[in-house]
Amino acid sequence: MSGDEINPAAVAQAVEDVQGDDRWMSQIWRELFSPLHALNFGIGGDTTCNVLWRLQNGELDNIRPKVTVVWVGTNNHEHSAEQVAGGILAIAQLLTSRLPKTKVVVLGLLARGDGPNPLREKNAAVNGFLRSWLPRLGQAQFLDVGAGFVHSDGTISTRDMFDFLHLTAAGYRAIAKPLSDLLLQILDETPEEKRASLV
Amino acid sequence: MALSTPRLLVRFLGGRNLLYGGAPFPSEQTPGDSKTRNEETDKVMSSGDSNPAATPTPCVDIQGDGRWMSLHNHFVSNSKDKEPDVLFVGDSLVQLLHQFEVWRELFSPLHALNFGVGGDETQHVLWRLSNGELAHISPKVVVLWVGTHNHSHTAEQICGGIMAIVQLIKDKLPKAYTLVLGVLPRGKMPNPLRERNAQVNKLVKDAVSSLPHASLLNVDPGFVHSDGSISHQDLYDFLHLTPQGYQAVCQPLHAHLKGLLEKQAEN
């Protein structure tokens, strides 16, 4: 991405309440990894722009997580793979500047759809950009949790993704293991004196 | 194939047959006839008095991975070797139910199949049921839960869409009973969609009251508190149910279903 162009995927944008019931503006959270004392600020349908907006508008004000897990990009339908990767990078940069002591784990975008399709290629391209860009941010790393979802015949099973996009319980179990292993490793590496200063 | 409009429904609505769908149900629809969820509906309507919420319409793939049609095809082929007594059909509230433990506890034992698709509006469910999803099965009860996503339609149109589905099920499965579930309130605080959904429920309840093969069941256990708020502990995004929310909805639903199945067995 040339420095002079604005990447629309990195422009913070709130979701307009077009449906009329304000539900997006109210906060969503569910605990995935409660023993690690985790908070979940995921919102269905969010793009990189929406996540950026939320992080810039209050969601980081009162917390000092040791690790932030970022998983976004599959819904950026208006943007190219490069723009999407740029948006994710912008999120990682925002996190490291607002929370200098946090480690950032960016999860790779999963394959989607019943069979091979352009969105799988796009998501794979996003992951490719992230693999090369993220190491330049010292505190950020990339984790690919998508291995095994696409079978040898190119299909994805509804046992893993019930609508060929969202994970079933079985699908989540498959990704939770490598993720929690990495989180435990990172938390283990966090020095004691830093922990005492965290809220 | 002509669509017969129940005269009772037309009289109740003041003679407006426009709410029951003006188009016949084709067994196939070419992609050129279909529309996206986001387009204006008038493009497809040839006559001025048809109800878009009651006109079978597939979802055109606007994202790029064709998942809606993949799911539909999966449902059609998946039904070929199943003999469900109960079919659940509708939108995300039906689809997500299948992902929670409550499905295995309460509905698998009733031999239930789940044809829910997130985001579906009445016209999408109508298309799916018209195009193969009922072709290989004869459930005794169809549980229908749809309407909350019909954002460009009025309460009257949504009711018309639901009633069109009820009629289609009657045509394809003459012995089946259709249990329509009331659309739930949504949003953290009072808002126009809650009013619209309540109005849909009222209209549907009146419309099915004279039908022997269908009824409306209110499954809202009281999600709206006295201050008008809904808790994210019941609806985690003020639209979709948490496990706790599903338990509150499904326990009475399950009891009601068992009663219906027993009555069907007696007849």
Side-chain angles (χ1 to χ4, degrees):
Chain A
M1 306 282 309
S2 95
D4 291 318
E5 294 161 18
I6 293 179
N7 175 5
V11 173
Q13 184 170 54
V15 169
E16 272 179 59
D17 176 29
V18 293
Q19 294 185 355
D21 61 0
D22 247 358
R23 70 188 156 91
W24 186 84
M25 301 294 271
S26 313
Q27 205 161 28
I28 297 172
W29 57 37
R30 248 199 299 189
E31 290 199 53
L32 293 180
F33 286 74
S34 359
L36 304 182
H37 308 288
L39 280 186
N40 184 312
F41 288 177
I43 295 188
D46 262 18
T47 62
T48 54
C49 314
N50 307 139
V51 170
L52 261 175
W53 188 92
R54 294 197 282 117
L55 295 178
Q56 288 171 352
N57 286 274
E59 288 184 14
L60 296 179
D61 286 356
N62 305 311
I63 50 173
R64 301 235 206 116
K66 295 166 199 155
V67 187
T68 308
V69 180
V70 178
W71 208 8
V72 67
T74 200
N75 298 321
N76 279 59
H77 295 297
E78 309 297 307
H79 306 134
S80 69
E82 205 182 352
Q83 288 175 328
V84 177
I88 295 168
L89 189 69
I91 291 168
Q93 284 167 330
L94 175 75
L95 288 167
T96 53
S97 71
R98 286 288 308 271
L99 306 166
K101 298 191 171 86
T102 199
K103 295 283 197 303
V104 179
V105 173
V106 175
L107 298 186
L109 302 188
L110 297 179
R112 49 185 287 172
D114 190 7
N117 64 83
L119 291 189
R120 281 199 201 168
E121 291 158 33
K122 181 183 171 188
N123 284 3
V126 171
N127 293 346
F129 286 117
L130 292 174
R131 275 193 184 89
S132 46
W133 296 350
L134 280 173
R136 299 178 205 162
L137 289 184
Q139 287 156 263
Q141 62 182 292
F142 177 78
L143 180 67
D144 186 350
V145 289
F149 285 125
V150 179
H151 300 172
S152 51
D153 63 356
T155 60
I156 285 176
S157 167
T158 52
R159 287 195 173 85
D160 294 321
M161 297 184 195
F162 61 85
D163 60 355
F164 307 109
L165 175 62
H166 294 100
L167 294 166
T168 59
Y172 273 117
R173 260 197 297 279
I175 63 127
K177 186 75 176 55
L179 175 57
S180 79
D181 283 351
L182 178 60
L183 291 179
L184 287 169
Q185 184 193 315
I186 294 173
L187 291 170
D188 258 354
E189 289 166 359
T190 307
E192 282 298 332
E193 58 272 24
K194 281 188 181 171
R195 282 188 200 176
S197 72
L198 291 169
V199 169
Chain B
M1 172 184 134
L3 171 64
S4 61
T5 310
R7 286 198 298 273
L8 194 67
L9 178 65
V10 170
R11 268 208 292 278
F12 167 74
L13 293 166
R16 288 180 298 169
N17 61 2
L18 65 90
L19 299 176
Y20 211 73
F25 298 109
S27 55
E28 278 168 3
Q29 229 177 3
T30 60
D33 291 336
S34 55
K35 59 181 172 59
T36 67
R37 290 189 181 119
N38 298 324
E39 284 178 7
E40 286 306 306
T41 57
D42 285 334
K43 261 208 281 194
V44 182
M45 302 306 114
S46 50
S47 82
D49 61 355
S50 39
N51 174 9
T55 306
T57 311
C59 272
V60 172
D61 177 32
I62 50 174
Q63 293 183 355
D65 55 9
R67 291 180 304 111
W68 192 87
M69 199 54 76
S70 294
L71 270 174
H72 167 68
N73 292 334
H74 173 76
F75 291 155
V76 173
S77 60
N78 197 39
S79 61
K80 284 182 183 155
D81 60 349
K82 304 275 197 312
E83 288 173 3
D85 287 334
V86 184
L87 173 69
F88 282 73
V89 68
D91 56 29
S92 47
L93 287 163
V94 174
Q95 183 176 43
L96 290 172
L97 171 59
H98 200 199
Q99 301 307 314
F100 286 93
E101 189 54 31
V102 67
W103 179 268
R104 255 198 319 182
E105 269 173 38
L106 298 182
F107 300 120
S108 301
L110 300 184
H111 307 288
L113 218 51
N114 187 309
F115 286 178
V117 175
D120 262 16
E121 303 176 41
T122 54
Q123 64 274 18
H124 304 125
V125 171
L126 199 52
W127 188 93
R128 294 198 280 117
L129 296 181
S130 306
N131 285 273
E133 288 183 17
L134 294 181
H136 309 293
I137 52 176
S138 311
K140 302 186 172 91
V141 179
V142 179
V143 180
L144 174 63
W145 209 7
V146 68
T148 199
H149 298 301
N150 279 65
H151 293 299
S152 50
H153 304 138
T154 63
E156 287 78 10
Q157 288 175 319
I158 298 171
C159 172
I162 291 171
M163 294 313 296
I165 297 169
V166 171
Q167 181 64 47
L168 176 77
I169 294 168
K170 177 84 171 56
D171 292 342
K172 291 206 178 258
L173 304 170
K175 297 199 180 87
Y177 191 94
T178 299
L179 186 63
V180 183
L181 301 188
V183 201
L184 293 177
R186 49 184 288 174
K188 188 171 180 199
M189 296 306 293
N191 63 80
L193 294 190
R194 282 200 202 167
E195 290 157 34
R196 184 204 67 181
N197 285 1
Q199 182 64 5
V200 168
N201 294 342
K202 181 177 182 302
L203 291 172
V204 171
K205 183 160 194 197
D206 289 338
V208 294
S209 59
S210 59
L211 302 178
H213 58 272
S215 61
L216 176 92
L217 182 67
N218 175 15
V219 289
D220 175 7
F223 286 135
V224 180
H225 298 172
S226 51
D227 65 352
S229 70
I230 283 177
S231 166
H232 69 266
Q233 307 215 356
D234 295 319
L235 299 172
Y236 62 84
D237 60 354
F238 310 104
L239 174 64
H240 296 104
L241 293 160
T242 59
Q244 166 183 318
Y246 269 119
Q247 281 291 340
V249 162
C250 290
Q251 291 291 347
L253 168 59
H254 173 256
H256 194 92
L257 258 181
K258 281 189 73 175
L260 278 176
L261 287 167
E262 274 153 30
K263 256 205 295 189
Q264 294 279 80
E266 283 165 20
N267 295 348

